[in-house]
């Protein structure tokens, strides 16, 4: 099997990020396919498409969607479409704030060659708890499911062609941030595995092109009494996550 093509989501204004990651790829002998990201800051909220604002408030407990969240969601849909259209059996989708490594790329290829059926395998997470291994690469890298979450991050994932099609359908209407929705395989069939450890490293988070810091998120949080539906949704989702992890997807 040839190495999966690598699709990198990059804002036009984030030239520094593209220069850095493309330089890393060149040094590693890897060809990148750039996906021009949607800049949510340049689109008024009234012109956003395929967003369920009421469902977002109810499910996520925040009163408004950040422009960067909207842009990130649309950009991942574009990357999934590009991967599906490529005709490749597997593709690696990356955000541009990563540091590439030969080891990470080699392990990604090994996962694709393992013969397991999946929609996607998350290669980067902010946390992994209650990990249940399902298969391993020849080097011993464990791939499986986590009983606790959300794991956080949509920065890097390997996706099958059928998985790209399924994820595009599941993400077609925005009701949660893309990093949360990406791993919710129980809501639409298929399975999204994760690696026990991260395969790449994050670059400086202060670089241009980010979504927003924790202070920005706090300003969008609804009062506690308005977040009761969110608690119910998260409790149900948690039980589905645990059940999915135990039965293997």
């Amino acid at each position: 099997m040839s190495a999966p093509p690598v699709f990198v989501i990059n804002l036009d204004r984030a030239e520094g990020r593209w220069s850095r990651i493309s330089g890393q790829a060149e040094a590693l002998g890897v060809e990148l396919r750039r996906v021009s990201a949607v800049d949510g800051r340049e689109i008024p909220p009234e012109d956003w498409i395929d967003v369920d604002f009421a469902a977002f408030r109810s499910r996520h407990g925040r009163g408004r969607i950040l422009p960067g969240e909207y842009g990130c969601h649309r950009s991942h849909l574009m990357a999934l479409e590009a991967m599906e259209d490529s005709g490749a059996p597997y593709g690696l989708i990356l955000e541009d704030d990563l540091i590439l490594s030969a080891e990470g790329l080699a392990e990604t290829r090994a996962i694709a060659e393992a013969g397991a059926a999946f929609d996607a395998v998350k290669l980067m997470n902010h946390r992994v708890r209650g990990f249940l291994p399902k298969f391993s690469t020849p080097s011993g890298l464990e791939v499986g499911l986590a009983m606790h979450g959300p794991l956080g991050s949509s920065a890097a994932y390997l996706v099958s062609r059928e998985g790209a099609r399924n994820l595009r359908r599941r993400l077609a209407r925005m009701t949660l941030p893309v990093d949360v929705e990406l791993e919710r395989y129980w809501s639409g069939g298929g399975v999204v595995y994760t690696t026990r450890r991260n395969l790449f490293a994050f670059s400086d988070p202060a670089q241009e092109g980010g979504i927003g810091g924790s202070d920005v998120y706090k300003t969008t949080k609804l009062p506690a009494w308005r977040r009761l539906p969110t608690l119910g949704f998260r409790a149900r989702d948690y039980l589905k996550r645990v059940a999915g992890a135990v039965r293997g997807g």
Side-chain angles (χ1 to χ4, degrees):
M1 180 186 295
S2 59
V6 182
F7 301 86
V8 178
I9 298 170
N10 171 252
L11 285 167
D12 292 344
R13 60 180 167 82
E15 296 178 359
R17 286 189 174 190
W18 178 251
S19 177
R20 183 182 61 249
I21 197 168
S22 59
Q24 295 167 9
E26 183 177 0
L28 293 168
V30 176
E31 180 182 353
L32 302 182
R33 305 189 188 189
R34 182 177 179 272
V35 177
S36 181
V38 173
D39 193 341
R41 301 180 190 180
E42 300 297 323
I43 308 172
E46 58 268 24
D47 292 335
W48 292 357
I49 60 173
D50 297 325
V51 177
D52 190 328
F53 292 95
F56 188 93
R57 286 192 297 271
S58 175
R59 290 181 165 196
H60 203 50
R62 288 181 28 232
R64 62 185 175 89
I65 301 170
L66 298 177
E69 290 177 312
Y70 172 75
C72 188
H73 188 96
R74 300 304 306 176
S75 299
H76 277 273
L77 282 172
M78 292 170 59
L80 289 165
E81 182 179 11
M83 188 275 142
E84 185 181 354
D85 290 347
S86 74
Y90 298 95
L92 174 58
I93 294 178
L94 304 175
E95 295 176 357
D96 62 4
D97 57 343
L98 294 180
I99 299 172
L100 300 181
S101 70
E103 188 266 347
L105 293 170
E107 288 289 14
T108 300
R109 182 171 181 173
I111 294 170
E113 294 175 343
F118 55 78
D119 278 357
V121 176
K122 293 184 82 240
L123 310 175
M124 296 289 292
N125 298 289
H126 295 314
R127 66 200 72 84
V128 177
R129 297 169 183 156
F131 183 83
L132 299 177
K134 301 301 175 184
F135 67 93
S136 299
T137 64
S139 71
L141 174 73
E142 291 182 313
V143 181
L145 294 165
M147 296 178 64
H148 309 296
L151 309 179
S153 182
S154 55
Y157 53 97
L158 177 70
V159 62
S160 67
R161 191 173 185 217
E162 182 179 355
R165 187 179 305 115
N166 291 342
L167 286 169
R168 285 180 63 199
R169 182 180 66 250
R170 183 152 62 80
L171 299 173
R173 191 160 183 82
M174 183 179 185
T175 64
L176 286 166
V178 68
D179 62 318
V180 177
E181 187 62 70
L182 175 64
E183 62 189 78
R184 296 182 63 253
Y185 59 88
W186 53 87
S187 70
V191 65
V192 177
Y193 289 121
T194 187
T195 52
R196 184 188 284 272
R197 62 177 176 84
N198 287 346
L199 292 193
F200 304 100
F202 288 105
S203 60
D204 183 359
Q207 293 277 347
E208 78 280 16
I211 289 176
S214 59
D215 291 343
V216 177
Y217 282 99
K218 289 178 182 178
T219 65
T220 68
K221 185 178 290 188
L222 294 171
W225 66 270
R226 293 188 61 187
R227 283 184 273 126
L228 292 177
T230 307
L231 294 176
F233 171 78
R234 289 179 177 173
R236 293 189 297 272
D237 234 34
Y238 180 78
L239 294 176
K240 292 176 182 178
R241 178 191 295 275
V242 172
V246 170
R247 68 172 179 263

